[in-house]
Amino acid sequence: MSLIVAKDLSKTYSVGEIEVEAVKSVSFAIEPASFVSFIGPSGSGKSTLLNLIGCLDKPTSGTLTVADVVTAGLTRKEAAIFRGDNLGFIFQDFNLIPVLTVYENVEYPLLMVKNAPAEERKKRIIPLLETVGVIDQKDKYPSQISGGHKQRVAIARALVTNPRLVLADEPTANLDSKTAFKVIDIMRKMKDELGITFIFSTHDQAIVGEVETIFSLHDGVLVGITSGKGRDDV
Amino acid sequence: MSKLIKIAVRNLFRYKRRTLLTSSLIAIGVMFVLVFVAVAGSFKYMMVGQITDSMLGHLQVHKRGYVASIDSLPLTLNLTADEAATLESALGQIPEIEAFSSRLKFGGMFSNFIETTNIRINGVYGEEEIATLPLFPSRVVEGEATIRKGEILIPELLANGLKVTVGSNVVVIATNRDGSVNGRQFVVGGILASVTGPGGRDGYLHIEDAMEILRLDEMEISEVAIRLSDFGRLHDVNARLKQLLSPELDMQGKPVFDVRTWEGLSPFYNIARMIDMMTFFIRLMLIAIVLVSIMNVMIMAVFERIREIGTIAAIGTLPGTIRSLFLIEGFALGVLGAVVGNVLAWVVVAILSISNVSFNFGRETGLVLAPRLQVEDMLLISVIVIIVSVVAALQPAIKASRMEPVEALRHV
Ligand SMILES: Nc1ncnc2c1ncn2[C@@H]1O[C@H](COP(=O)(O)OP(=O)(O)OP(=O)(O)O)[C@@H](O)[C@H]1O
Ligand SMILES: [Mg+2]
């Protein structure tokens, strides 16, 4: 049973009179516990596709099933609950909440979305902060830590609710290549250990070199699916 | 809830200067309103006290029609002895009535044998009058605060104008109901300072002397002034007395008695009303200030945090929670402003109280303002400010909760 199934998926934006077809009739499937990336030139529709999978946006036509749910039919509130239950997000700009400490940022989804009790939250957060390597920074505010550390915190935040799927739109674009590699390595480990699916969108060769499957987009059209080096059976 | 408060408060601290500015604006507004209410309230309270305790009493009863022509002190509209007795028995049934004074009033001429002027005479029993008007003795600037037979208390105005002093012989002349003129000689027993309002020409005689001048065989009463033990019960007693007297009808089937509180008798009531109006408008202004400043700050807060809103929405925060987050921020700002404002008001009122601000009112000099903050006023203003703060945050909060996460995340 595939985690994600897209069939003839299209997304058209209308800007005034002009219609922009960001994604054109794309079909693919992604299995659980995969490590995949969408690649393609700027404007090829990578972010659009990730937003559709992430249940942040609705397709214009076609069907999309994520974790057995046809997400297009969800209301705003249902979509929010669905995201909280199944998805994790990692952003290019980290998007940590500036008024919360590292610990509190990771705590946020458990506290504000899941309403988990304090004891359980602590049990989840501390090991996770250790795994991503920011436990010594846990009481600092985002403005007090480096970009690499911020993205590690963001990974911890995305994983803390045990999602089935993590979506990362250009997660390494604001990191130097060495840091980027470390961050990818962490995600890779989490995928192996927890069986969580990671979907990236990227230009970064470091990521491209690490993923199992590469979906190439061009002008909103899926032009190729290739196996990457990260594939176990290669 | 506490987690929402934590985030809201941290966000307020994040923009310290803006939070400080907005909350001080609100705090100063709250302070001004509270100080104004306290000062105006004390002024009003004192003025009402002066007027009721030195002249009017809390309530008055006349024959119906008397008040309309009170300027001419009509002898034809006095209460008869029977009616006065009925009234007295009704007054006896109301325990809240501390004292009352029956007055026989008429207009007459006052002469020092050289010059003559007009005077308004109040025939009273001295003890009754003083029990009803505890400040009456303080009006006596010369002589004694008693009303003995054969003596007259005259207003300062007449004493100065006709150059008479305590001990002088004077004559009071009046026309009685039948049209015949009668006069009597009196000794000036005391001189009265006047209170603002009618009364500048009011002199006092013993009621039996008054009867004699008017050649009345039977007692008649023009007005009865009433003092209550608890001023707060004014309107209850007013209603009760009206009800007790309502069966008394005249030949035309109309009520005999006309019961009024001081409010219906003194022009100062309009000043008191104006003070209340001003308080109301000042409160309205405060509401406007709070509304505009909080709305402004919250609109800015939402605009600055669009990406953050997108982020927490993407993570799965429910729209309702996002809305609460901003509402609580507005609420917290309102609470901060209200609390600081109350403290400031308390300080200012305390300073005003110890600095003994005094002023003159009419001929009363050196009245000391005693502003006092009423707990109800403080609570009311605080509640208003906090509610208005939340209402002002509502629109921005709803806007934040309705944002599309994709668009919010794309915002730069
Ligand atoms: N909200 C929108 N309104 C109108 N057009 C949009 C919107 N979002 C995306 N587009 C258009 O859709 C196309 C695909 O955009 P998308 O952001 O998915 O590309 P991308 O592959 O992520 O590019 P990049 O590598 O620059 O991030 C582009 O032409 C873009 O201009
Ligand atoms: Mg993109």
Side-chain angles (χ1 to χ4, degrees):
Chain A
M1 193 67 201
S2 300
L3 181 63
I4 299 164
V5 181
K7 206 162 176 313
D8 298 328
L9 199 61
S10 297
K11 176 73 190 178
T12 308
Y13 293 109
S14 354
V15 186
E17 300 277 282
I18 307 156
E19 303 232 308
V20 181
E21 281 187 275
V23 171
K24 296 175 197 166
S25 196
V26 167
S27 301
F28 60 89
I30 295 172
E31 302 308 312
S34 12
F35 206 60
V36 306
S37 182
F38 290 95
I39 64 163
S42 187
S44 56
K46 304 183 294 293
S47 297
T48 305
L49 207 44
L50 246 62
N51 289 338
L52 291 173
I53 297 170
C55 207
L56 295 169
D57 212 349
K58 289 188 176 171
T60 314
S61 65
T63 55
L64 175 66
T65 318
V66 181
D68 302 326
V69 174
V70 181
T71 53
L74 301 178
T75 64
R76 278 173 66 80
K77 194 172 166 185
E78 287 166 346
I81 294 168
F82 177 82
R83 290 194 298 267
D85 286 346
N86 298 290
L87 309 181
F89 289 89
I90 297 169
F91 305 92
Q92 177 177 342
D93 302 314
F94 324 124
N95 288 13
L96 298 178
I97 299 165
V99 295
L100 300 181
T101 63
V102 163
Y103 182 91
E104 289 164 344
N105 261 286
V106 178
E107 189 184 30
Y108 182 95
L110 288 179
L111 181 64
M112 302 290 287
V113 180
K114 297 293 214 182
N115 288 311
E119 204 46 43
E120 195 187 315
R121 297 200 299 265
K122 201 167 169 186
K123 258 193 243 158
R124 253 326 273 140
I125 298 163
I126 299 293
L128 205 52
L129 287 177
E130 276 166 2
T131 312
V132 300
V134 290
I135 188 77
D136 52 337
Q137 323 263 320
K138 77 177 174 54
D139 295 321
K140 289 189 179 165
Y141 284 90
S143 59
Q144 299 167 324
I145 61 175
S146 70
H149 282 141
K150 278 185 201 162
Q151 204 56 308
R152 290 165 191 240
V153 176
I155 293 168
R157 179 176 67 182
L159 294 175
V160 76
T161 54
N162 244 329
R164 303 177 66 173
L165 172 64
V166 171
L167 295 156
D169 194 350
E170 318 223 13
T172 55
N174 286 341
L175 302 175
D176 63 72
S177 58
K178 225 173 111 191
T179 315
F181 191 81
K182 278 188 201 149
V183 166
I184 297 160
D185 199 43
I186 290 168
M187 292 195 274
R188 168 105 219 184
K189 278 205 189 100
M190 303 308 290
K191 176 251 159 188
D192 289 340
E193 275 170 34
L194 306 169
I196 295 172
T197 298
F198 281 82
I199 303 177
F200 303 99
S201 112
T202 193
H203 295 287
D204 188 346
Q205 285 307 312
I207 291 186
V208 176
E210 288 296 315
V211 295
E212 299 161 352
T213 311
I214 300 159
F215 295 88
S216 304
L217 287 167
H218 195 88
D219 277 345
V221 179
L222 188 56
V223 291
I225 304 176
T226 45
S227 297
K229 284 190 220 132
R231 218 179 161 84
D232 299 332
D233 53 17
V234 169
Chain B
M1 191 69 178
S2 66
K3 54 197 181 186
L4 290 173
I5 293 175
K6 182 179 83 181
I7 296 179
V9 169
R10 292 234 191 125
N11 272 315
L12 287 178
F13 270 102
R14 177 174 172 186
Y15 304 103
K16 279 198 198 70
R17 192 185 315 187
R18 196 164 75 196
T19 302
L20 205 69
L21 271 171
T22 309
S23 52
S24 9
L25 186 64
I26 296 170
I28 290 169
V30 167
M31 180 202 76
F32 269 120
V33 171
L34 283 174
V35 170
F36 180 84
V37 168
V39 169
S42 118
F43 175 78
K44 205 176 92 180
Y45 186 81
M46 207 160 54
M47 290 304 102
V48 171
Q50 280 288 321
I51 284 164
T52 58
D53 293 0
S54 64
M55 231 177 73
L56 285 181
H58 295 151
L59 289 155
Q60 288 189 357
V61 184
H62 302 87
K63 196 182 197 107
R64 189 175 50 82
Y66 190 90
V67 175
S69 44
I70 201 159
D71 257 349
S72 59
L73 304 172
L75 292 169
T76 50
L77 288 170
N78 283 340
L79 297 168
T80 63
D82 283 350
E83 289 165 342
T86 308
L87 173 58
E88 241 176 82
S89 87
L91 294 177
Q93 288 176 51
I94 302 176
E96 289 94 335
I97 292 178
E98 189 180 287
F100 63 88
S101 175
S102 306
R103 298 167 176 167
L104 173 57
K105 303 176 80 146
F106 60 90
M109 300 307 286
F110 174 82
S111 168
N112 62 358
F113 300 99
I114 303 163
E115 285 174 280
T116 301
T117 183
N118 58 321
I119 187 170
R120 298 159 61 91
I121 295 293
N122 295 262
V124 297
Y125 291 109
E127 316 81 63
E128 278 185 7
E129 188 72 8
I130 288 166
T132 309
L133 306 178
L135 289 182
F136 184 85
S138 71
R139 287 178 58 199
V140 179
V141 288
E142 269 176 66
E144 257 184 277
T146 47
I147 299 160
R148 294 191 198 90
K149 283 195 184 177
E151 285 187 359
I152 181 168
L153 299 187
I154 59 167
E156 232 174 356
L157 189 72
L158 263 59
N160 296 340
L162 271 66
K163 296 189 184 60
V164 291
T165 57
V166 174
S168 304
N169 283 315
V170 295
V171 175
V172 173
I173 305 149
T175 314
N176 72 9
R177 213 166 26 202
D178 309 324
S180 64
V181 175
N182 190 22
R184 242 205 78 171
Q185 193 168 323
F186 290 94
V187 176
V188 174
I191 294 171
L192 287 172
S194 80
V195 192
T196 298
R201 285 188 172 270
D202 275 34
Y204 287 82
L205 292 179
H206 193 282
I207 196 164
E208 285 163 17
D209 289 342
M211 280 171 71
E212 207 186 303
I213 296 179
L214 295 175
R215 292 191 214 272
L216 296 176
D217 306 323
E218 230 189 344
M219 175 72 79
E220 288 183 10
I221 299 298
S222 318
E223 91 187 1
V224 175
I226 300 164
R227 177 174 183 79
L228 308 181
S229 44
D230 176 6
F231 185 63
R233 310 264 301 141
L234 181 68
H235 293 279
D236 298 337
V237 174
N238 185 35
R240 173 103 177 93
L241 187 55
K242 277 189 172 140
Q243 182 222 328
L244 280 174
L245 295 175
S246 61
E248 306 301 325
L249 302 176
D250 61 16
M251 282 177 302
Q252 291 134 45
K254 297 215 174 123
V256 174
F257 297 100
D258 176 9
V259 181
R260 292 177 187 228
T261 65
W262 71 274
E263 295 156 341
L265 295 160
S266 167
F268 181 74
Y269 178 61
N270 291 322
I271 299 180
R273 283 279 304 275
M274 239 157 67
I275 291 175
D276 290 343
M277 282 281 278
M278 265 160 75
T279 311
F280 173 76
F281 280 110
I282 282 186
R283 281 194 187 142
L284 221 56
M285 241 163 68
L286 177 70
I287 290 175
I289 290 174
V290 173
L291 198 71
V292 170
S293 56
I294 298 257
M295 209 183 245
N296 177 42
V297 155
M298 293 314 296
I299 287 172
M300 261 154 77
V302 169
F303 186 75
E304 282 163 351
R305 274 182 248 153
I306 291 180
R307 271 168 68 90
E308 252 173 87
I309 295 164
T311 307
I312 61 172
I315 287 174
T317 313
L318 296 179
T321 310
I322 296 176
R323 190 174 54 225
S324 307
L325 229 103
F326 284 95
L327 283 182
I328 290 173
E329 217 171 300
F331 171 83
L333 258 179
V335 169
L336 185 65
V339 168
V340 175
N342 273 286
V343 171
L344 285 180
W346 188 84
V347 170
V348 172
V349 167
I351 291 171
L352 280 178
S353 294
I354 45 177
S355 54
N356 279 331
V357 179
S358 66
F359 64 98
N360 302 335
F361 179 69
R363 306 190 53 176
E364 294 285 333
T365 54
L367 293 172
V368 176
L369 202 60
R372 230 173 303 144
L373 280 176
Q374 305 287 327
V375 178
E376 308 93 82
D377 284 328
M378 293 168 87
L379 282 179
L380 179 71
I381 297 287
S382 305
V383 167
I384 289 175
V385 164
I386 292 166
I387 289 176
V388 171
S389 301
V390 173
V391 169
L394 201 59
Q395 190 270 338
I398 289 175
K399 194 179 155 207
S401 73
R402 293 208 179 136
M403 268 177 200
E404 282 300 332
V406 228
E407 272 151 40
L409 281 167
R410 204 183 298 124
H411 186 89
V412 269

